[in-house]
Amino acid sequence: MQIPAKEVEEEFDPVAECNWNSLMAFLSCDTQWRVSGVGMAGLVWVGLDYTACDVAFRRGGFSDELWNDVRVMEEAALPILNSGDD
């Protein structure tokens, strides 16, 4: 379900209108991360499960053109997720 940008509460940082659909597509995949357990070292975030994201995209009505944006955000998120800062 795509939420119009104007309906987002003020607690969120502003998102440029031109980036809104990309953000919503990325967030539609937010529960689809692949994680690997590495014993005492904790978890390693591997990346998004693309098969599951495909379902989220189709069910959410997101266009294929947004996929590259999601992959850019995934690439940016991985170092942060794997930084060990809790």
Side-chain angles (χ1 to χ4, degrees), residues 32-35 44-50 74 78 82:
Q32 306 307 326
W33 287 95
R34 287 187 177 197
V35 180
V44 173
W45 299 80
V46 179
L48 289 169
D49 180 334
Y50 290 177
E74 172 194 28
L78 282 171
N82 286 314

Side-chain angles (χ1 to χ4, degrees), residues 6-52:
K6 61 185 171 193
E7 292 182 18
V8 174
E9 296 180 26
E10 292 181 10
E11 68 184 73
F12 292 97
D13 289 332
V15 175
E17 186 75 31
C18 63
N19 295 326
W20 187 254
N21 287 337
S22 298
L23 175 62
M24 292 296 100
F26 180 73
L27 292 177
S28 77
C29 298
D30 70 348
T31 60
Q32 306 307 326
W33 287 95
R34 287 187 177 197
V35 180
S36 175
V38 187
M40 297 301 287
L43 298 175
V44 173
W45 299 80
V46 179
L48 289 169
D49 180 334
Y50 290 177
T51 303

Side-chain angles (χ1 to χ4, degrees), residues 74-86:
E74 172 194 28
E75 187 176 329
L78 282 171
I80 296 165
L81 292 170
N82 286 314
S83 70
D85 295 337
D86 295 327

Side-chain angles (χ1 to χ4, degrees), residues 48-70:
L48 289 169
D49 180 334
Y50 290 177
T51 303
C53 289
D54 181 57
V55 173
F57 256 64
R58 284 187 285 117
R59 300 285 288 180
F62 296 104
S63 68
D64 290 342
E65 290 77 27
L66 296 176
W67 182 244
N68 286 335
D69 295 345
V70 169

